[in-house]
Amino acid sequence: MNSSAMWRAAGGLYRNNFAPLLLLFLPLAVAFLIAVAPLLALPDQQIGVSGSTPSAFLLVLGFALVVIPMVVGGIGVAASTLLLTDRIVGHRTTPTDAFRKVRPNLGPLIAAGLASTLLSLVLRQLLPPLEFFLRPMLYGPAILVQVITLEAMDLRNGLSRMGELLRKHILRIFMFLFAVSMGASLLDIVLPGFATLGLTNVNNVAYFIVASLIQVLVVVLTLPFVAATMLVAYFDLRARKEDLNLEQLATERAAL
């Protein structure tokens, strides 16, 4: 498929499965907000006489706001990969079923998420704008999460398999996924900005609540599309390398 066909295929998967994808990602986003909300409320209580926030608290907060979203987002992408693939071959997999099927691969998926986090942190220090625009495609990360999930591989074999699939196609796939990732990142800037135009720094609590809710909504709406584009890219690579077709895909899903 060329890029236009891949965009159309991803858009079709997203539209035709919008409700189950929303039901899949929304609980993850809500759980994340519940988990980090107490941490975000702590700084005022933790600030000492000098007015500085303790470094230990900053480390905990940094862990919560960087590592947890990357790992949890990767698991969400893995679950959506299973849900979309099963529906492509005619199985009406629910979000609950998808999370249950992800469970055997949790170890490699968490390891992949931690590796993505490390890459994200390095890029954030060296090239912050690039890291921001790349972040959506780092959930998983792309291609590796599909290999681990659909081919039941551990991290080491998954990395080798990813390299095999991407050989001679890495630039084309990267540019396709980067365009999607950049669009999702721009929405993450623009929509919260518009939603908080009427709020000033005088009302920090209201500003934080509204901005956080809008950002969660943006992620819930955009990450499923990013996941669909990742899956289309994975299928495109396998079709080019191995002549994968729908019948073979159905056979693979039945065997796992």
Short mmCIF file of all heavy atoms in Angstrom, two decimals, residues 178-228:
data_model
loop_
_atom_site.label_atom_id
_atom_site.label_comp_id
_atom_site.label_asym_id
_atom_site.label_seq_id
_atom_site.Cartn_x
_atom_site.Cartn_y
_atom_site.Cartn_z
N PHE A 178 5.34 9.17 11.63
CA PHE A 178 5.69 10.48 12.19
C PHE A 178 4.64 11.52 11.84
O PHE A 178 4.31 12.39 12.66
CB PHE A 178 7.06 10.92 11.69
CG PHE A 178 7.51 12.24 12.27
CD1 PHE A 178 7.82 12.37 13.61
CD2 PHE A 178 7.60 13.37 11.46
CE1 PHE A 178 8.21 13.59 14.15
CE2 PHE A 178 8.01 14.58 11.98
CZ PHE A 178 8.30 14.70 13.33
N ALA A 179 4.10 11.46 10.63
CA ALA A 179 3.05 12.40 10.24
C ALA A 179 1.83 12.25 11.13
O ALA A 179 1.23 13.24 11.58
CB ALA A 179 2.67 12.18 8.77
N VAL A 180 1.47 11.00 11.42
CA VAL A 180 0.33 10.74 12.31
C VAL A 180 0.64 11.23 13.72
O VAL A 180 -0.18 11.89 14.38
CB VAL A 180 0.00 9.23 12.33
CG1 VAL A 180 -1.11 8.93 13.32
CG2 VAL A 180 -0.38 8.75 10.94
N SER A 181 1.84 10.91 14.20
CA SER A 181 2.26 11.28 15.54
C SER A 181 2.30 12.80 15.71
O SER A 181 1.86 13.34 16.74
CB SER A 181 3.64 10.68 15.83
OG SER A 181 4.06 10.95 17.15
N MET A 182 2.78 13.50 14.71
CA MET A 182 2.87 14.95 14.77
C MET A 182 1.48 15.57 14.84
O MET A 182 1.24 16.51 15.61
CB MET A 182 3.63 15.49 13.56
CG MET A 182 3.88 16.99 13.61
SD MET A 182 5.09 17.55 12.39
CE MET A 182 4.31 17.02 10.86
N GLY A 183 0.54 15.03 14.06
CA GLY A 183 -0.84 15.54 14.10
C GLY A 183 -1.47 15.36 15.47
O GLY A 183 -2.12 16.27 16.00
N ALA A 184 -1.25 14.18 16.07
CA ALA A 184 -1.80 13.92 17.41
C ALA A 184 -1.17 14.86 18.44
O ALA A 184 -1.86 15.36 19.34
CB ALA A 184 -1.56 12.46 17.79
N SER A 185 0.12 15.11 18.32
CA SER A 185 0.81 16.00 19.25
C SER A 185 0.32 17.44 19.13
O SER A 185 0.16 18.14 20.13
CB SER A 185 2.33 15.95 19.01
OG SER A 185 2.84 14.65 19.26
N LEU A 186 0.07 17.88 17.90
CA LEU A 186 -0.43 19.25 17.70
C LEU A 186 -1.81 19.42 18.32
O LEU A 186 -2.11 20.45 18.93
CB LEU A 186 -0.47 19.58 16.21
CG LEU A 186 0.89 19.80 15.54
CD1 LEU A 186 0.74 19.94 14.03
CD2 LEU A 186 1.57 21.04 16.12
N LEU A 187 -2.66 18.42 18.18
CA LEU A 187 -3.97 18.47 18.82
C LEU A 187 -3.84 18.56 20.34
O LEU A 187 -4.62 19.23 21.01
CB LEU A 187 -4.80 17.24 18.44
CG LEU A 187 -5.36 17.21 17.02
CD1 LEU A 187 -6.05 15.88 16.75
CD2 LEU A 187 -6.34 18.37 16.81
N ASP A 188 -2.83 17.89 20.87
CA ASP A 188 -2.59 17.89 22.31
C ASP A 188 -2.18 19.28 22.80
O ASP A 188 -2.35 19.61 23.98
CB ASP A 188 -1.50 16.88 22.65
CG ASP A 188 -1.44 16.58 24.14
OD1 ASP A 188 -2.51 16.63 24.79
OD2 ASP A 188 -0.35 16.30 24.65
N ILE A 189 -1.64 20.12 21.91
CA ILE A 189 -1.30 21.50 22.27
C ILE A 189 -2.50 22.43 22.06
O ILE A 189 -2.88 23.20 22.94
CB ILE A 189 -0.13 22.02 21.40
CG1 ILE A 189 1.13 21.22 21.65
CG2 ILE A 189 0.13 23.50 21.69
CD1 ILE A 189 2.28 21.63 20.75
N VAL A 190 -3.12 22.32 20.89
CA VAL A 190 -4.11 23.30 20.46
C VAL A 190 -5.41 23.21 21.27
O VAL A 190 -5.91 24.24 21.77
CB VAL A 190 -4.40 23.14 18.96
CG1 VAL A 190 -5.56 24.04 18.54
CG2 VAL A 190 -3.16 23.45 18.14
N LEU A 191 -5.96 22.00 21.42
CA LEU A 191 -7.26 21.88 22.06
C LEU A 191 -7.26 22.30 23.53
O LEU A 191 -8.14 23.06 23.95
CB LEU A 191 -7.79 20.44 21.90
CG LEU A 191 -8.11 20.03 20.45
CD1 LEU A 191 -8.69 18.63 20.41
CD2 LEU A 191 -9.09 21.03 19.83
N PRO A 192 -6.30 21.85 24.36
CA PRO A 192 -6.28 22.35 25.74
C PRO A 192 -6.07 23.86 25.80
O PRO A 192 -6.61 24.53 26.69
CB PRO A 192 -5.09 21.60 26.37
CG PRO A 192 -4.95 20.37 25.55
CD PRO A 192 -5.30 20.79 24.16
N GLY A 193 -5.29 24.41 24.87
CA GLY A 193 -5.07 25.85 24.84
C GLY A 193 -6.36 26.62 24.61
O GLY A 193 -6.66 27.60 25.31
N PHE A 194 -7.17 26.17 23.64
CA PHE A 194 -8.45 26.82 23.38
C PHE A 194 -9.40 26.66 24.57
O PHE A 194 -10.13 27.59 24.93
CB PHE A 194 -9.10 26.23 22.12
CG PHE A 194 -8.60 26.84 20.85
CD1 PHE A 194 -7.99 26.07 19.89
CD2 PHE A 194 -8.75 28.20 20.61
CE1 PHE A 194 -7.51 26.63 18.71
CE2 PHE A 194 -8.28 28.77 19.44
CZ PHE A 194 -7.67 27.99 18.48
N ALA A 195 -9.40 25.47 25.17
CA ALA A 195 -10.33 25.20 26.27
C ALA A 195 -10.04 26.03 27.51
O ALA A 195 -10.94 26.27 28.32
CB ALA A 195 -10.29 23.71 26.62
N THR A 196 -8.80 26.48 27.66
CA THR A 196 -8.42 27.22 28.88
C THR A 196 -8.20 28.71 28.62
O THR A 196 -7.63 29.40 29.45
CB THR A 196 -7.13 26.62 29.48
OG1 THR A 196 -6.11 26.58 28.48
CG2 THR A 196 -7.37 25.21 29.99
N LEU A 197 -8.69 29.21 27.48
CA LEU A 197 -8.48 30.62 27.15
C LEU A 197 -9.09 31.55 28.18
O LEU A 197 -8.55 32.61 28.48
CB LEU A 197 -9.06 30.93 25.76
CG LEU A 197 -8.20 30.55 24.56
CD1 LEU A 197 -8.94 30.86 23.27
CD2 LEU A 197 -6.87 31.29 24.59
N GLY A 198 -10.22 31.17 28.74
CA GLY A 198 -10.90 32.04 29.69
C GLY A 198 -10.38 31.95 31.11
O GLY A 198 -10.85 32.68 31.98
N LEU A 199 -9.43 31.08 31.33
CA LEU A 199 -8.89 30.89 32.68
C LEU A 199 -7.52 31.52 32.78
O LEU A 199 -6.71 31.42 31.87
CB LEU A 199 -8.80 29.39 33.01
CG LEU A 199 -10.13 28.63 32.98
CD1 LEU A 199 -9.88 27.14 33.18
CD2 LEU A 199 -11.07 29.14 34.05
N THR A 200 -7.25 32.18 33.88
CA THR A 200 -5.95 32.82 34.08
C THR A 200 -5.22 32.12 35.20
O THR A 200 -5.74 31.22 35.86
CB THR A 200 -6.13 34.30 34.46
OG1 THR A 200 -6.79 34.37 35.73
CG2 THR A 200 -6.97 35.03 33.42
N ASN A 201 -4.00 32.53 35.41
CA ASN A 201 -3.20 31.94 36.47
C ASN A 201 -3.76 32.21 37.87
O ASN A 201 -3.32 31.63 38.85
CB ASN A 201 -1.76 32.46 36.40
CG ASN A 201 -1.04 31.92 35.18
OD1 ASN A 201 -1.39 30.86 34.69
ND2 ASN A 201 -0.06 32.65 34.68
N VAL A 202 -4.75 33.15 37.94
CA VAL A 202 -5.37 33.43 39.24
C VAL A 202 -6.08 32.19 39.75
O VAL A 202 -6.14 31.94 40.95
CB VAL A 202 -6.36 34.61 39.11
CG1 VAL A 202 -7.11 34.83 40.42
CG2 VAL A 202 -5.60 35.87 38.69
N ASN A 203 -6.64 31.41 38.81
CA ASN A 203 -7.36 30.19 39.21
C ASN A 203 -6.59 28.98 38.73
O ASN A 203 -6.96 28.34 37.75
CB ASN A 203 -8.78 30.22 38.62
CG ASN A 203 -9.69 29.20 39.29
OD1 ASN A 203 -9.22 28.30 39.98
ND2 ASN A 203 -10.99 29.35 39.09
N ASN A 204 -5.50 28.67 39.41
CA ASN A 204 -4.63 27.58 38.98
C ASN A 204 -5.32 26.23 39.03
O ASN A 204 -5.08 25.37 38.19
CB ASN A 204 -3.37 27.54 39.84
CG ASN A 204 -2.41 28.66 39.48
OD1 ASN A 204 -2.32 29.03 38.32
ND2 ASN A 204 -1.72 29.20 40.47
N VAL A 205 -6.16 26.01 40.05
CA VAL A 205 -6.83 24.72 40.21
C VAL A 205 -7.76 24.46 39.05
O VAL A 205 -7.76 23.38 38.43
CB VAL A 205 -7.59 24.66 41.55
CG1 VAL A 205 -8.39 23.36 41.65
CG2 VAL A 205 -6.62 24.78 42.71
N ALA A 206 -8.60 25.47 38.71
CA ALA A 206 -9.53 25.31 37.60
C ALA A 206 -8.78 25.11 36.29
O ALA A 206 -9.17 24.28 35.46
CB ALA A 206 -10.45 26.53 37.50
N TYR A 207 -7.70 25.88 36.11
CA TYR A 207 -6.89 25.74 34.90
C TYR A 207 -6.34 24.32 34.78
O TYR A 207 -6.42 23.70 33.71
CB TYR A 207 -5.73 26.74 34.94
CG TYR A 207 -4.82 26.68 33.73
CD1 TYR A 207 -5.09 27.43 32.60
CD2 TYR A 207 -3.71 25.84 33.73
CE1 TYR A 207 -4.26 27.37 31.48
CE2 TYR A 207 -2.88 25.77 32.62
CZ TYR A 207 -3.16 26.53 31.51
OH TYR A 207 -2.34 26.46 30.40
N PHE A 208 -5.77 23.81 35.87
CA PHE A 208 -5.19 22.46 35.85
C PHE A 208 -6.25 21.41 35.55
O PHE A 208 -6.03 20.50 34.74
CB PHE A 208 -4.51 22.16 37.18
CG PHE A 208 -4.16 20.70 37.34
CD1 PHE A 208 -3.10 20.15 36.64
CD2 PHE A 208 -4.92 19.88 38.15
CE1 PHE A 208 -2.79 18.81 36.76
CE2 PHE A 208 -4.61 18.53 38.28
CZ PHE A 208 -3.54 18.00 37.59
N ILE A 209 -7.42 21.51 36.20
CA ILE A 209 -8.47 20.50 36.02
C ILE A 209 -8.96 20.49 34.57
O ILE A 209 -9.06 19.43 33.94
CB ILE A 209 -9.64 20.77 36.99
CG1 ILE A 209 -9.20 20.49 38.43
CG2 ILE A 209 -10.84 19.91 36.63
CD1 ILE A 209 -10.23 20.87 39.47
N VAL A 210 -9.26 21.68 34.04
CA VAL A 210 -9.77 21.74 32.67
C VAL A 210 -8.72 21.27 31.67
O VAL A 210 -9.01 20.46 30.78
CB VAL A 210 -10.22 23.19 32.33
CG1 VAL A 210 -10.58 23.30 30.85
CG2 VAL A 210 -11.42 23.58 33.18
N ALA A 211 -7.48 21.75 31.83
CA ALA A 211 -6.41 21.36 30.90
C ALA A 211 -6.16 19.86 30.96
O ALA A 211 -5.98 19.21 29.92
CB ALA A 211 -5.13 22.12 31.23
N SER A 212 -6.16 19.28 32.16
CA SER A 212 -5.91 17.84 32.31
C SER A 212 -7.02 17.02 31.67
O SER A 212 -6.76 16.04 30.97
CB SER A 212 -5.78 17.48 33.79
OG SER A 212 -4.68 18.12 34.37
N LEU A 213 -8.27 17.43 31.89
CA LEU A 213 -9.40 16.69 31.32
C LEU A 213 -9.39 16.75 29.80
O LEU A 213 -9.65 15.75 29.12
CB LEU A 213 -10.72 17.24 31.86
CG LEU A 213 -11.01 16.94 33.34
CD1 LEU A 213 -12.29 17.63 33.78
CD2 LEU A 213 -11.09 15.43 33.59
N ILE A 214 -9.08 17.92 29.25
CA ILE A 214 -9.02 18.06 27.78
C ILE A 214 -7.88 17.22 27.22
O ILE A 214 -8.03 16.56 26.18
CB ILE A 214 -8.87 19.53 27.37
CG1 ILE A 214 -10.10 20.34 27.79
CG2 ILE A 214 -8.66 19.64 25.88
CD1 ILE A 214 -11.38 19.88 27.15
N GLN A 215 -6.73 17.23 27.89
CA GLN A 215 -5.59 16.44 27.41
C GLN A 215 -5.92 14.95 27.44
O GLN A 215 -5.57 14.21 26.51
CB GLN A 215 -4.36 16.72 28.26
CG GLN A 215 -3.68 18.04 27.89
CD GLN A 215 -2.41 18.28 28.68
OE1 GLN A 215 -2.35 17.99 29.87
NE2 GLN A 215 -1.40 18.81 28.02
N VAL A 216 -6.61 14.50 28.49
CA VAL A 216 -7.02 13.10 28.56
C VAL A 216 -7.98 12.78 27.43
O VAL A 216 -7.88 11.74 26.77
CB VAL A 216 -7.65 12.79 29.94
CG1 VAL A 216 -8.35 11.43 29.91
CG2 VAL A 216 -6.59 12.80 31.02
N LEU A 217 -8.92 13.69 27.18
CA LEU A 217 -9.89 13.47 26.10
C LEU A 217 -9.18 13.38 24.75
O LEU A 217 -9.50 12.52 23.92
CB LEU A 217 -10.91 14.60 26.08
CG LEU A 217 -11.97 14.54 24.98
CD1 LEU A 217 -12.82 13.28 25.14
CD2 LEU A 217 -12.86 15.78 25.02
N VAL A 218 -8.20 14.26 24.53
CA VAL A 218 -7.44 14.25 23.28
C VAL A 218 -6.71 12.92 23.11
O VAL A 218 -6.74 12.31 22.04
CB VAL A 218 -6.44 15.42 23.22
CG1 VAL A 218 -5.49 15.27 22.03
CG2 VAL A 218 -7.18 16.75 23.12
N VAL A 219 -6.08 12.45 24.18
CA VAL A 219 -5.35 11.18 24.12
C VAL A 219 -6.31 10.03 23.84
O VAL A 219 -6.03 9.15 23.01
CB VAL A 219 -4.57 10.93 25.42
CG1 VAL A 219 -4.02 9.51 25.46
CG2 VAL A 219 -3.44 11.94 25.56
N VAL A 220 -7.45 10.03 24.52
CA VAL A 220 -8.44 8.95 24.34
C VAL A 220 -8.95 8.92 22.90
O VAL A 220 -9.25 7.84 22.37
CB VAL A 220 -9.60 9.13 25.34
CG1 VAL A 220 -10.78 8.23 24.98
CG2 VAL A 220 -9.12 8.81 26.75
N LEU A 221 -9.05 10.08 22.27
CA LEU A 221 -9.56 10.14 20.90
C LEU A 221 -8.48 9.91 19.85
O LEU A 221 -8.77 9.37 18.78
CB LEU A 221 -10.23 11.50 20.65
CG LEU A 221 -11.52 11.76 21.44
CD1 LEU A 221 -12.02 13.18 21.17
CD2 LEU A 221 -12.59 10.75 21.08
N THR A 222 -7.24 10.33 20.14
CA THR A 222 -6.19 10.24 19.12
C THR A 222 -5.36 8.97 19.20
O THR A 222 -4.94 8.44 18.17
CB THR A 222 -5.25 11.45 19.19
OG1 THR A 222 -4.65 11.53 20.49
CG2 THR A 222 -6.00 12.74 18.90
N LEU A 223 -5.11 8.47 20.42
CA LEU A 223 -4.24 7.29 20.52
C LEU A 223 -4.83 6.06 19.83
O LEU A 223 -4.08 5.28 19.24
CB LEU A 223 -3.93 6.99 21.99
CG LEU A 223 -2.78 6.00 22.24
CD1 LEU A 223 -1.52 6.40 21.49
CD2 LEU A 223 -2.48 5.89 23.74
N PRO A 224 -6.15 5.85 19.85
CA PRO A 224 -6.69 4.73 19.07
C PRO A 224 -6.39 4.85 17.57
O PRO A 224 -6.13 3.83 16.91
CB PRO A 224 -8.20 4.81 19.34
CG PRO A 224 -8.31 5.46 20.66
CD PRO A 224 -7.19 6.46 20.70
N PHE A 225 -6.44 6.09 17.04
CA PHE A 225 -6.10 6.26 15.62
C PHE A 225 -4.62 5.99 15.38
O PHE A 225 -4.25 5.37 14.39
CB PHE A 225 -6.46 7.67 15.14
CG PHE A 225 -6.16 7.88 13.69
CD1 PHE A 225 -6.94 7.29 12.71
CD2 PHE A 225 -5.09 8.67 13.30
CE1 PHE A 225 -6.65 7.48 11.36
CE2 PHE A 225 -4.79 8.86 11.96
CZ PHE A 225 -5.58 8.27 10.98
N VAL A 226 -3.77 6.48 16.30
CA VAL A 226 -2.34 6.18 16.20
C VAL A 226 -2.12 4.67 16.21
O VAL A 226 -1.32 4.13 15.42
CB VAL A 226 -1.56 6.87 17.34
CG1 VAL A 226 -0.09 6.44 17.32
CG2 VAL A 226 -1.66 8.39 17.22
N ALA A 227 -2.82 3.98 17.11
CA ALA A 227 -2.69 2.51 17.20
C ALA A 227 -3.14 1.86 15.89
O ALA A 227 -2.53 0.87 15.44
CB ALA A 227 -3.52 1.99 18.37
N ALA A 228 -4.21 2.38 15.29
CA ALA A 228 -4.68 1.81 14.02
C ALA A 228 -3.65 2.01 12.91
O ALA A 228 -3.43 1.12 12.09
CB ALA A 228 -6.01 2.47 13.63
#
